[in-house]
Amino acid sequence: QVQLVESGGGSVEAGGSLRLSCAASGYTAGRYCMRWFRQATGKEREEVATIRGDGIRSYADSVKGRFTISEDYSKMFFYLQMNALKTEDTAIYYCASVRVYGTLCPSPLNAYSWGQGTQVIVSS
């Protein structure tokens, strides 16, 4: 069973940067969808960044140009570099991953292994 652990969250002032890391263990060789989600208090969980099985990166409109998702396949780590943070980025951030054999990532959230979440607080 794949296990994921996030790290790198914390408190930062608006305009600052953070890098979140997701470390995976218990995985087998293959290609994976790797995704970052966030959930703010009182709101539904939303996708913020994805690496598809074909390697294509995609981002939520709210973070385009500010966030970058990347990966280290050899270590099965992936990352979320967050720049120019805004107060509305405040949320619990979760990493999620699932092995895939095509290009697209599954839609059902229960298809994924999940990390426990790491808190990001952006203050003005």
Side-chain angles (χ1 to χ4, degrees):
Q1 180 71 272
V2 174
Q3 298 181 37
L4 304 176
V5 178
E6 302 98 336
S7 62
S11 297
V12 65
E13 293 186 2
S17 298
L18 287 172
R19 187 183 70 164
L20 307 183
S21 299
C22 184
S25 63
Y27 60 88
T28 57
R31 296 190 178 276
Y32 291 80
C33 283
M34 293 164 279
R35 314 185 84 166
W36 287 95
F37 294 78
R38 67 186 182 189
Q39 187 167 23
T41 300
K43 297 184 178 180
E44 295 186 350
R45 188 168 297 188
E46 63 174 340
E47 178 189 353
V48 298
T50 294
I51 303 176
R52 304 198 318 184
D54 59 0
I56 292 177
R57 276 78 164 152
S58 63
Y59 300 91
D61 288 343
S62 60
V63 307
K64 285 180 180 177
R66 300 188 298 118
F67 290 11
T68 303
I69 187 170
S70 59
E71 81 289 343
D72 182 337
Y73 284 113
S74 66
K75 297 180 179 180
M76 200 54 192
F77 289 2
F78 62 104
Y79 309 93
L80 186 68
Q81 178 67 45
M82 305 186 294
N83 297 327
L85 283 162
K86 304 175 180 179
T87 56
E88 52 263 45
D89 296 318
T90 296
I92 305 297
Y93 284 73
Y94 301 87
C95 62
S97 186
V98 65
R99 189 175 182 180
V100 293
Y101 300 90
T103 59
L104 300 180
C105 298
S107 295
L109 297 182
N110 62 7
Y112 295 84
S113 297
W114 290 85
Q116 81 290 344
T118 186
Q119 182 174 264
V120 172
I121 299 174
V122 184
S123 60
S124 61

